[in-house]
Amino acid sequence: MAVLVNGFALTASAASKPPTFVGAMMDGMKLWFPDAQAFVDDNQRTLVPVRFVAEALGAKVGWEAESQSVPIQKDDQRIRLTIGSKVATVNGEDVAFDTQAVMQGGRTFVPLRFVSEILGVAVEWDGKTNTVLLSTKPLDGKTDPWGRLIRTTDLPSNAADYPYILADISNEMYELAYPYHHEERSKVSATVASQTEYSKQNKDIWIERVKTFGSLWLNVDYRTIDDSWAQALFATKMQNSDGELRRIREYVSWVKENHIHIEGYLDPEPSMIFYDGFGSDNIRAHFRLRFVSYDKSERLLYDQWFPNDLSFEKGKWYEGYTDIQMSTNVGGDWGSTLKVSPTASLFSNYMFVKAAEKDE
């Protein structure tokens, strides 16, 4: 049996493999997908929800149900993609390409590079961070090591705590209170940024680990979850004992019993890392999450801080910021060994900023 997770067709045997979510930046600004997430298909091509093409690339997008086709227009460029076909029509001419538009989970996905380049948008791929880089004009301003624009106006009240302030991040994400910490030994992002362990190379490793963790942690389906999912989630964390694996397996049993189906993602920010003074670093992340189904609103996530007293509407996307705790049991040159802490929680230090409309 195949089911859909954020636009991915997954079988039970693949339930433990985290979806390869793809990030996107355009002209130095990170883009967040409005509903379903972009993904890499079997042809190693990035497919994005067609709504993203309309909103990010400024094109007009339609849908013709009878022909199962997607007309896309921007200025004098006209593209027509047909679901399941590797031939598109571009300004009246047939053009073959190496993947196809697909319909998954009620969403239409189109190949980003093919569409973008025809619309005059340059496309590059950053394999280290699984990010598509879109460019329509030269960047005007300074950028961080990941190519994102830095702003110098309308700064958050605690701007001095950070090495720089990004143009695509809101002040409320910067101003979210720090997690529990030691007042004297804790270190803010601006302080740790100059330390050897906090190099870009190590941060890229940490960010990918948090994304992988989130891809498993926030994508749970009672129809496919099995022990391989439990072992995969356990492998993403700093392992202190087999006791946690036992607790994860107990959660798997609860997911099946309670018919829990969750979709979501974590998008960690490498410039927002806070050392708490007790031996752990915390990476601030943007998250989106929805609870598709459940019987009882208890322990919906594998999270010791899950708020059983909160009510989550089924099918509604919840968006916010959180701090993901990271730790290591290695001394000396520990930078590359940092992994998600056994006590990491979405709800120990978080803020909801928006509850989007339900996807029908």
Side-chain angles (χ1 to χ4, degrees):
M1 177 181 69
V3 298
L4 292 168
V5 178
N6 267 341
F8 293 83
L10 298 181
T11 62
S13 62
S16 65
K17 182 180 179 181
T20 303
F21 292 139
V22 176
M25 285 200 327
M26 185 162 70
D27 297 332
M29 302 281 281
K30 180 172 282 191
L31 302 171
W32 283 274
F33 295 98
D35 41 36
Q37 293 300 292
F39 65 96
V40 177
D41 70 4
D42 292 339
N43 297 313
Q44 298 303 301
R45 295 293 180 261
T46 300
L47 298 186
V48 297
V50 72
R51 179 179 164 192
F52 170 82
V53 175
E55 294 188 355
L57 304 184
K60 294 181 180 179
V61 178
W63 168 248
E64 297 180 0
E66 185 174 347
S67 61
Q68 292 284 288
S69 62
V70 182
I72 301 172
Q73 179 179 349
K74 182 180 180 183
D75 301 327
D76 59 350
Q77 293 291 83
R78 290 175 171 80
I79 309 169
R80 181 178 295 274
L81 298 166
T82 301
I83 300 298
S85 174
K86 291 186 177 181
V87 177
T89 302
V90 179
N91 296 328
E93 301 289 333
D94 287 346
V95 177
F97 56 106
D98 57 2
T99 193
Q100 58 191 19
V102 298
M103 178 75 76
Q104 292 187 350
R107 292 288 184 268
T108 303
F109 291 80
V110 297
L112 177 60
R113 179 179 290 275
F114 178 79
V115 172
S116 298
E117 291 183 345
I118 290 176
L119 297 181
V121 178
V123 182
E124 295 182 21
W125 172 252
D126 182 351
K128 291 183 179 179
T129 60
N130 285 330
T131 302
V132 177
L133 307 176
L134 306 171
S135 178
T136 65
K137 60 185 179 181
L139 295 183
D140 182 17
K142 293 183 178 180
T143 60
D144 77 348
W146 290 267
R148 293 164 69 186
L149 284 171
I150 296 171
R151 61 183 163 106
T152 57
T153 59
D154 189 27
L155 300 178
S157 59
N158 58 346
D161 290 352
Y162 299 95
Y164 47 81
I165 303 299
L166 290 166
D168 55 23
I169 290 184
S170 68
N171 283 353
E172 62 184 348
M173 184 172 180
Y174 285 108
E175 293 172 347
L176 174 64
Y178 293 118
Y180 181 71
H181 60 279
H182 191 287
E183 289 291 343
E184 296 178 357
R185 295 197 299 264
S186 60
K187 299 176 183 179
V188 296
S189 298
T191 301
V192 301
S194 61
Q195 297 181 4
T196 303
E197 293 85 355
Y198 297 83
S199 65
K200 180 180 183 298
Q201 180 179 356
N202 283 339
K203 286 181 179 180
D204 282 340
I205 294 172
W206 305 343
I207 294 305
E208 189 57 33
R209 285 174 179 164
V210 173
K211 286 183 177 180
T212 300
F213 167 70
S215 294
L216 287 160
W217 190 39
L218 302 184
N219 289 279
V220 172
D221 193 324
Y222 67 92
R223 296 167 295 180
T224 59
I225 196 169
D226 56 21
D227 192 63
S228 62
W229 181 92
Q231 294 183 54
L233 184 69
F234 181 60
T236 67
K237 307 185 81 174
M238 181 52 58
Q239 301 166 20
N240 292 331
S241 71
D242 288 339
E244 178 161 13
L245 180 57
R246 174 180 53 79
R247 290 188 291 272
I248 295 174
R249 284 171 168 160
E250 291 172 353
Y251 171 72
V252 169
S253 297
W254 173 242
V255 167
K256 295 177 180 179
E257 178 185 341
N258 198 32
H259 301 106
I260 297 173
H261 181 188
I262 303 168
E263 297 177 352
Y265 69 88
L266 286 174
D267 189 5
E269 174 47 54
S271 67
M272 304 175 77
I273 300 176
F274 174 74
Y275 176 68
D276 64 13
F278 295 114
S280 296
D281 288 276
N282 295 266
I283 299 180
R284 189 151 294 178
H286 174 260
F287 70 85
R288 294 191 87 227
L289 175 70
R290 71 169 176 171
F291 301 93
V292 180
S293 72
Y294 58 83
D295 295 334
K296 298 179 180 179
S297 58
E298 303 171 6
R299 295 172 56 207
L300 298 182
L301 281 181
Y302 178 71
D303 189 327
Q304 65 178 332
W305 295 98
F306 183 81
N308 289 322
D309 57 333
L310 287 184
S311 176
F312 293 98
E313 184 177 347
K314 294 177 183 177
K316 175 173 285 190
W317 284 103
Y318 293 88
E319 186 172 351
Y321 314 123
T322 188
D323 288 311
I324 300 298
Q325 190 179 64
M326 308 285 285
S327 60
T328 181
N329 55 12
V330 175
D333 185 13
W334 55 265
S336 63
T337 68
L338 202 65
K339 298 179 73 174
V340 176
S341 171
T343 56
S345 169
L346 192 74
F347 297 102
S348 63
N349 194 62
Y350 73 101
M351 171 193 295
F352 281 127
V353 295
K354 182 170 61 175
E357 294 300 317
K358 291 174 65 175
D359 285 344
E360 302 296 345

